[in-house]
Amino acid sequence: MSVVRRDDTGAVPTIGGVAVPDLSAGLGAVVWVAAVAAGALGTVPRALALAPLVLVPLGVGMAGHGPFPGPAGRCLRAAVWCQPVGALLLTASLALDVVGPVAAALAAPWLLVTGLLGLAALARTAERGGVALPETAIDAGLAYVSVAAVALLLYHLDITFYFGPTIILLTAVHFHYAGFVLPVVTGLTGRSGHLDSPLWRSLVGVILAGPAIIAIGISFSPLIEVVAVGGFTVAVALFGWFVLLRIAPTRSRRQAVLLGASAVALPLSMALALGYGVATFSGLALGLDIATMVALHGSLNAFGFALLGLVGWRLEVP
């Protein structure tokens, strides 16, 4: 079994003709199922662990189908090789379910992986020198995921500032899904070549800025949170409509089913997020507490939108 290193076009490395990210995602899926079956992961850690074990390698592998020249390609390949170890250690840190230096040390390698992805995005942006929306969206996802790694490290170190530890942990979840998966899926959708309109470009802009603005609102202002979540919800709902009606019909039947199901799950999960933001700002009892949001919003995001969407695109990468 030989390792094949591709050239500086940015193609991901392979082992025995199979892309390393695909092998990592397959191994990660086995580890995730085993950990869940053994009861080693709680509800929030279960959703969080799915991202580095399965979703990030899938997304990074497909991102690597685009141009990653020079330093960007080298950073991407280094991240690909480090990702399986980082993901396994991160999962172990979540399984410990403790705060302290041991859990933090286990989570720290994921910061290296995401830092390499962020450097790849920065180098590629500088090399490109312009705004190509699909590639800009993918670069944003590669950059945002570093925030998730920092948040998880802070959680394990019990550095929560004026938030509770649950909010810090949910920030790590937020930037793996809304910060990484959504921009990468948006970029892959744009790469399919069927979308080019002022409305589409506006939606991409909101999707890329939304996770950061929502995080700012959660941190400092319920009003900003409600406005940001409202605009973000509209944008992702329209994005789902674009995928369902304009992208899915152009793809093969299996891919169309998965992309369509992912597109339907996305606005449903964001409607719940909007309801939670309104309830937080207004004080209305809408029955959307943290536990309910984790169960409903989290499941729709993790298994409905993210997993189905990334697996769907992996069937035929644009």
Side-chain angles (χ1 to χ4, degrees):
M1 187 174 291
S2 60
V3 175
V4 180
R5 295 180 182 273
R6 300 294 182 86
D7 59 27
D8 275 354
T9 60
V12 296
T14 65
I15 297 177
V18 180
V20 171
D22 290 341
L23 292 172
S24 178
L27 172 64
V30 172
V31 171
W32 186 86
V33 170
V36 171
L41 299 173
T43 304
V44 176
R46 187 182 306 162
L48 178 53
L50 181 69
L53 286 172
V54 179
L55 305 180
V56 170
L58 281 176
V60 169
M62 288 186 285
H65 282 247
F68 275 78
R74 291 190 286 274
C75 288
L76 183 77
R77 288 191 289 275
V80 165
W81 287 116
C82 294
Q83 178 273 323
V85 175
L88 290 173
L89 293 176
L90 181 152
T91 304
S93 79
L94 295 173
L96 285 178
D97 195 25
V98 296
V99 170
V102 174
L106 289 171
W110 190 243
L111 187 59
L112 170 63
V113 175
T114 59
L116 287 168
L117 293 176
L119 288 174
L122 182 64
R124 198 165 76 117
T125 299
E127 174 74 21
R128 192 167 57 246
V131 178
L133 277 184
E135 305 312 313
T136 299
I138 287 172
D139 288 343
L142 298 179
Y144 267 140
V145 74
S146 296
V147 181
V150 171
L152 181 61
L153 195 60
L154 292 176
Y155 170 79
H156 283 311
L157 292 172
D158 199 25
I159 302 175
T160 61
F161 304 102
Y162 53 85
F163 303 108
T166 300
I167 296 299
I168 300 298
L169 187 60
L170 289 175
T171 300
V173 177
H174 173 72
F175 277 97
H176 273 106
Y177 286 89
F180 175 80
V181 176
L182 180 57
V184 169
V185 168
T186 301
L188 293 172
T189 303
R191 278 182 180 178
S192 68
H194 297 281
L195 296 172
D196 186 19
S197 68
L199 176 58
W200 169 251
R201 291 190 287 272
S202 299
L203 293 181
V204 175
V206 174
I207 286 171
L208 299 192
I213 297 174
I214 291 171
I216 291 170
I218 292 172
S219 301
F220 302 108
S221 169
L223 178 58
I224 293 176
E225 179 186 359
V226 170
V227 173
V229 171
F232 195 59
T233 299
V234 172
V236 296
L238 289 173
F239 170 74
W241 176 83
F242 269 105
V243 173
L244 185 64
L245 298 183
R246 295 190 57 185
I247 300 299
T250 68
R251 315 304 291 185
S252 66
R253 184 174 180 179
R254 286 191 305 163
Q255 189 172 48
V257 169
L258 291 174
L259 294 180
S262 171
V264 170
L266 185 58
L268 292 177
S269 74
M270 290 309 302
L272 289 169
L274 178 59
Y276 178 76
V278 169
T280 301
F281 178 70
S282 65
L284 294 175
L286 300 180
L288 295 175
D289 55 14
I290 289 289
T292 303
M293 286 296 292
V294 169
L296 297 179
H297 171 78
S299 296
L300 281 170
N301 265 346
F303 307 108
F305 162 65
L307 186 59
L308 293 181
L310 287 173
V311 171
W313 278 120
R314 187 62 189 89
L315 293 177
E316 185 183 345
V317 184

